[in-house]
Amino acid sequence: MGRIILFTGKGGVGKTTLSAATAAYLSELGKKVLVVSVDPAHSLSDVLEREIGPEPVKIDKNLYAQEIDVYFSVEKFWGKLQEYLKSLLRWQGIDNIMADELAILPGMEEVCAFLWINKHYEEKLYDIIIVDSAPTGETLRFLSLPDAASWWITKILPLQRRLMRFIRPAARMVTDMPLPEEETYDALEDLFRQVYNLYHLLQNPEISSVRLVTNPEKMVLRETEKAYTYLHLFGFNVDAIFLNRIPPEDSPLYEYQKPYVERILKAFEPTPVFLIPQVKGEILGIEKLKEFGKAVYGDRDPSSVFFKDKPFEIEERDGKCYLRLYLKDIPEEMPDILRKEDDLIIKIRNFKKHFFLPRSLINKEIEGAKIKGQTLEIVFSS
């Protein structure tokens, strides 16, 4: 069984460096690794100091890299569909160059990323696939795409296909507009079969892990908390948080950022947090990346699943919503529970945990709470 590890975080937090360092260090440990950049910024080649193409290229012993290119990938995976879209656009009077551009529909880049990762996993050429993902907002869209499209794919597409079989002969008698053929529908259904296959692989905590990269800064932290909540709601396992660029303790900046470091350690508990000090200079090239990977992981195997339990659950029952938070070393006395916009603050003695409330709970009132072992259950009104 292979492994898929996806790194994401707000732009500029260092996720590409950590993705490349993890891959380089794993290759040094004897694992055959592919690091794939899904981020449109494509800074992976800069970090590795190597030219990387739209298909995997060998970078070092056991290490391969790829930067996904939407135009190349559409040609490879969406050939039949793209040809139909271009023929439809040309029929409307749009020239070939413009038709090529317009035939790249919104969402195709995300789907292409799914298709490449699924292809690599099914071919089993690599022990581990490291995904340098897009910034968190785009990653959430990328990971939620199959859920968002499922109704259309399972309900509308089969109906449209059956209707087209009946109307195609008659339509050709009154118009020369290009109509989708059976092979177009076959190609589309096969593409989404592959997307759904990877979607379920990414939800399997034994195979896939999401690792959130963050910095000790207010705006970055808020985006990380939001991503952490929604990734778990979508069913993706976040097995570690990487708190990157912690300034030295004798630095004036450290005193300013210390409260955010402490908040991060509590906010994501019991998910492990890797504390990564700020380093001098840039981490570029294979050897520096291997050294950085060793410094980040120490004696731990980067391919391990560091955590796979649910940190929280939300259940709707009897007209109410129940939020169950799993906390370590929770005392018997009831904690103070405060609301501040979309932030839930839980205070127990010197312990303070922040939890980002999903949209489904923001406008609901807290009716009560109780402790059950290591679980704090909070009841929200309907």
Side-chain angles (χ1 to χ4, degrees), residues 12-30:
V13 295
K15 64 178 179 56
T16 298
T17 300
L18 277 162
S19 301
T22 301
Y25 183 44
L26 279 167
S27 72
E28 184 77 357
L29 296 176

Side-chain angles (χ1 to χ4, degrees), residues 247-259:
E249 292 188 13
D250 58 356
S251 162
L253 186 58
Y254 179 80
E255 287 304 313
Y256 171 75
Q257 294 187 338
K258 185 179 178 181

